[in-house]
Amino acid sequence: MKSMLEDLWYSYLIEKKIDLSDSDRSVINLYSEKHDKIFDTLSDTQKRLFESYEDSFSEMCNIYEKEAFIKGVSFAVRLFVSALNNSI
């Protein structure tokens, strides 16, 4: 079942556009500005290390998001089945 949910997760990411609120965009813009300011102060070696760190951090976040999605769907299905059984 986990592999089915992983497939659903990846297809969901590809098919669904994320609609951001104004406050979400504001946070992202602030992050981007601060990132650029920090990045501009780094040496080439530090930039490569920082980019590697960011890539690793992004991968870690993707893993947590996927696992949270899988657990959430599993929970929702169990809740739905339980409610359905109670109503019969």
Side-chain angles (χ1 to χ4, degrees), residues 66-82:
K66 180 184 70 172
E67 291 302 314
F69 173 82
I70 290 169
K71 287 181 180 184
V73 170
S74 295
F75 171 77
V77 168
R78 285 192 311 271
L79 182 65
F80 176 75
V81 169
S82 174

Side-chain angles (χ1 to χ4, degrees), residues 2-81:
K2 184 174 179 176
S3 65
M4 274 185 4
L5 292 176
E6 284 179 345
D7 291 343
L8 178 62
W9 166 254
Y10 289 117
S11 67
Y12 179 81
L13 283 179
I14 292 169
E15 293 175 9
K16 296 294 181 185
K17 180 182 176 237
I18 298 174
D19 294 323
L20 300 173
S21 68
D22 290 339
S23 63
D24 292 340
R25 282 190 194 90
S26 176
V27 169
I28 291 170
N29 289 337
L30 184 61
Y31 165 81
S32 182
E33 289 172 16
K34 291 181 186 278
H35 175 275
D36 292 345
K37 286 181 182 179
I38 291 170
F39 200 74
D40 290 341
T41 66
L42 302 176
S43 69
D44 288 343
T45 302
Q46 290 170 324
K47 286 178 182 179
R48 284 192 297 276
L49 182 60
F50 189 58
E51 287 172 339
S52 176
Y53 164 78
E54 286 183 309
D55 290 343
S56 298
F57 187 78
S58 178
E59 282 295 315
M60 183 181 66
C61 288
N62 289 336
I63 290 167
Y64 285 130
E65 288 176 11
K66 180 184 70 172
E67 291 302 314
F69 173 82
I70 290 169
K71 287 181 180 184
V73 170
S74 295
F75 171 77
V77 168
R78 285 192 311 271
L79 182 65
F80 176 75
V81 169

